[in-house]
Amino acid sequence: MFEKKPRRYVIKYSENHDFMSMQIMVDRQTGVNYLLVNQGHGVSMTPLLDENGQVVRDKPENWQNEIYDQ
């Protein structure tokens, strides 16, 4: 009845601390990596940058497939 569509954002990495969680999410349409931080009642999401200040992007062969799906 319902066709399952692939998720656009997938979790690449996840880390939990006392009252805070951090995740790196990948936009599978663009390959851009985002850092998502959830602490208490606040949530923040920002593009992940490399040591040169450039946006971190995964190669298409990685994010086009389901390899990050958990």
Side-chain angles (χ1 to χ4, degrees), residues 7-52:
R7 294 183 291 171
R8 178 170 178 174
Y9 295 93
V10 291
I11 298 170
K12 180 177 176 179
Y13 177 80
S14 183
E15 186 174 305
N16 293 308
H17 298 283
D18 294 329
F19 296 101
M20 179 178 71
S21 66
M22 294 182 291
Q23 296 176 329
I24 296 177
M25 301 182 74
V26 178
D27 179 343
R28 292 192 348 195
Q29 290 185 5
T30 64
V32 173
N33 285 235
Y34 293 92
L35 176 63
L36 178 74
V37 179
N38 184 351
Q39 185 172 9
H41 295 289
V43 177
S44 178
M45 186 172 183
T46 186
L48 190 62
L49 304 178
D50 66 12
E51 62 275 1
N52 299 315

Side-chain angles (χ1 to χ4, degrees), residues 1 3 13 21 23 34 36 46-47 54-56 62 65 67 69:
M1 180 175 206
E3 184 179 325
Y13 177 80
S21 66
Q23 296 176 329
Y34 293 92
L36 178 74
T46 186
Q54 300 298 313
V55 174
V56 175
N62 292 338
N65 300 317
I67 64 167
D69 288 348

